[in-house]
């Protein structure tokens, strides 16, 4: 009686690749959101309200979360 207990992963290799892409998109969104502050608190910096921080970065974060959820819900191919 030979028992081959090969560890079985929860996801396929494709799922992990899609998950990593989603995490990279989320990280890129948070990186684009950072910055824009002023060294002097008495000086107002208008750069915090530009397109990149208000529209682009949050959109990338939401798209990244969507990609991550897709990678979790994607059914592995049955062989």
């Amino acid at each position: 009686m030979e028992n081959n207990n090969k560890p079985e992963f929860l996801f396929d290799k494709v799922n992990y690749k899609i998950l990593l892409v989603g995490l990279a998109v989320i990280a890129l969104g948070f990186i684009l959101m950072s910055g824009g502050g002023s060294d002097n608190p008495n000086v107002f910096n208008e750069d915090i309200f530009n397109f990149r921080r208000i529209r682009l970065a949050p959109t990338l974060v939401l798209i990244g979360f969507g990609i991550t959820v897709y990678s979790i819900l994607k059914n592995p191919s049955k062989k």
Side-chain angles (χ1 to χ4, degrees), residues 48-65:
I48 62 172
F49 296 116
N50 66 6
F51 173 78
R52 186 185 75 182
R53 289 189 181 90
I54 298 296
R55 302 277 183 201
L56 181 64
T59 303
L60 280 177
V61 171
L62 290 175
I63 289 171
F65 282 134

Side-chain angles (χ1 to χ4, degrees), residues 1-3 18 27 47 56 61 73-74:
M1 279 176 75
E2 195 173 312
N3 220 356
I18 297 171
D47 286 341
L56 181 64
V61 171
L73 296 178
K74 184 180 180 307

Side-chain angles (χ1 to χ4, degrees), residues 14-26:
V14 175
N15 292 74
Y16 286 113
K17 287 180 183 179
I18 297 171
L19 182 69
L20 288 176
V21 168
L23 292 176
V25 171
I26 292 170

Side-chain angles (χ1 to χ4, degrees), residues 32-51:
L32 289 176
M33 246 188 266
S34 67
S38 177
D39 293 335
N40 186 357
N42 295 326
V43 177
F44 180 73
N45 191 355
E46 195 67 35
D47 286 341
I48 62 172
F49 296 116
N50 66 6
F51 173 78

